Amino acid sequence: MTQRAPRSFSAPTLKDLARLAGVSPITASRALHRPELVAEATRARVAQAVEQSGYVPNSLAGGLTSRQTRLVAAIVPSVGHSLFSDMLDALITTLAQERYETTLGISSYDPEHEETWLAAMLGRRPEGVVLTGTEHTARTRRLLLNADIPVVELWDYTPHPLDVAIGFSHEDAGRAAFRHLAACGYRSPAVLRADDSRAHRRAQGFMRAAAEAGASEPVQIVFSERSPQAGRGREALNALRAQAPEADAVFCSSDALAQGVLAHAHVLGLQVPRFGVLGFGDQALAADTIPALSTVRVDGACIGRLGAQALVTRMRGAGVTPAAQEVGFEVVARASTRTPAQAEAGR
């Protein structure tokens, strides 16, 4: 892949906004900061120019003599999952080693919330932005394009990043999960997942792998990512047993959910690994559950570290090659799923 050319870092200025609105810079500033002093028609023209240009008022104006704020704005869906916290810790630590400070936002899996946060953060003139994932609103993309600063998208892989992307294919992870369960002899695996887009893509990969193998379509149990975490495993497994009592294994959208399923399977008298449980993330306690949890491992710390290094390179004005980097994943087989040998012996 050819190296991306460095970007020019020329965000729209107040003069640009005023020129587009057909008013003086003073009038444009008043429309933004003292709208009661400006006629309604003028305010409307300025507001339209803001929307068209992507101009963001500089909340630090007058206090800086340089564009160098040493500030990076980063947003993650949640800090409740160790996957994201591991990634974030590596990101912040690596940036701090280069004397950059990180301000953090939480999107709660909501692209519109990400958009609102980003608009506010761009007013502080960060030198770089870190987003989690590749699904953004049209306005978020426009704001970033007009801000013309380095952007790194983490966690999700795409061959067409906004600027730089480092992550993995969620669909491929779902495919690998189904193939692992099939190799272990499970014939009716199901999916227990949250309703966020990444878990959905993993489920799509799982379903497609099942179709490719000629298996029946797996049952899915979906719950809201915004619902309380306590009891999710119990509720999801109860729902599955009611809807598909023949299911002999489950692929869970997180290790936390899988751990809840393991605990409730014991209560229900389900024998694991005869009933297989596969998680996602290989979080801190996965190897210490009883039985130890099979899972799909993603190296969040590696993604955070590589993302920080790429962002520093871009903030220094250099290109990054490749602009899209896939770090992959690994299915880790432990005691919560049968081995292929055990499956063969049980036939």
Side-chain angles (χ1 to χ4, degrees):
M1 183 178 293
T2 58
Q3 181 167 307
R4 292 171 64 92
R7 297 168 71 176
S8 59
F9 311 114
S10 55
T13 66
L14 183 63
K15 288 183 179 180
D16 297 329
L17 178 70
R19 189 180 305 113
L20 188 59
V23 298
S24 70
I26 292 177
T27 300
S29 179
R30 285 175 178 167
L32 294 170
H33 303 292
R34 297 290 303 277
E36 71 277 5
L37 301 179
V38 180
E40 182 177 348
T42 301
R43 292 200 304 270
R45 290 207 308 276
V46 172
Q48 184 179 2
V50 167
E51 181 65 23
Q52 183 178 345
S53 67
Y55 173 80
V56 177
N58 188 354
S59 62
L60 303 180
L64 296 176
T65 58
S66 166
R67 284 295 305 274
Q68 291 189 333
T69 60
R70 310 297 298 184
L71 179 68
V72 169
I75 187 166
V76 294
S78 167
V79 293
H81 294 302
S82 68
L83 281 171
F84 294 129
S85 60
D86 289 347
M87 181 182 76
L88 190 60
D89 181 67
L91 175 81
I92 293 173
T93 299
T94 306
L95 288 171
Q97 291 169 353
E98 300 292 336
R99 298 189 301 110
Y100 286 95
E101 294 294 331
T102 305
T103 184
L104 177 64
I106 308 296
S107 71
S108 299
Y109 298 90
D110 186 345
E112 292 186 357
H113 188 89
E114 176 188 74
E115 173 193 310
T116 302
W117 171 87
L118 179 64
M121 286 300 102
L122 288 177
R124 300 180 61 185
R125 293 298 188 259
E127 293 188 44
V129 170
V130 177
L131 305 175
T132 303
T134 58
E135 297 180 0
H136 318 293
T137 67
R139 182 169 180 250
T140 292
R141 294 176 178 273
R142 189 165 60 250
L143 286 168
L144 290 169
L145 178 64
N146 289 324
D148 198 21
I149 58 176
V151 179
V152 173
E153 296 165 287
L154 298 181
W155 201 247
D156 298 7
Y157 173 78
T158 174
H160 306 292
L162 294 172
D163 188 5
V164 177
I166 299 171
F168 63 98
S169 167
H170 290 268
E171 181 169 326
D172 286 350
R175 288 177 183 271
F178 175 84
R179 289 167 182 164
H180 171 76
L181 291 176
C184 292
Y186 298 105
R187 296 291 174 258
S188 299
V191 176
L192 307 182
R193 70 171 180 88
D195 62 354
D196 69 90
S197 63
R198 297 173 187 85
H200 174 65
R201 293 202 299 276
R202 293 196 292 275
Q204 284 182 316
F206 195 93
M207 299 294 184
R208 287 169 182 162
E212 291 163 1
S216 58
E217 182 176 345
V219 171
Q220 287 192 70
I221 302 297
V222 184
F223 60 87
S224 172
E225 181 60 48
R226 297 170 181 82
S227 64
Q229 291 194 33
R232 281 181 184 169
R234 179 182 65 252
E235 294 169 5
L237 184 55
N238 282 340
L240 176 66
R241 298 291 292 168
Q243 184 173 333
E246 74 282 2
D248 59 358
V250 291
F251 173 44
C252 300
S253 61
S254 70
D255 283 353
L257 177 62
Q259 289 163 5
V261 169
L262 282 177
H264 195 53
H266 177 72
V267 172
L268 295 179
L270 296 176
Q271 295 183 9
V272 177
R274 180 177 296 177
F275 178 81
V277 181
L278 179 64
F280 178 82
D282 197 23
Q283 297 177 11
L285 296 178
D288 296 323
T289 60
I290 300 177
L293 180 65
S294 297
T295 186
V296 179
R297 175 185 293 159
V298 178
D299 194 340
C302 176
I303 293 174
R305 183 174 62 257
L306 292 176
Q309 292 168 350
L311 187 64
V312 169
T313 298
R314 295 292 293 117
M315 291 188 295
R316 290 172 175 168
V320 172
T321 303
Q325 182 174 348
E326 190 167 9
V327 300
F329 52 84
E330 176 188 3
V331 177
V332 180
R334 297 192 180 106
S336 69
T337 54
R338 291 188 302 236
T339 66
Q342 288 173 330
E344 187 67 27
R347 288 178 181 175

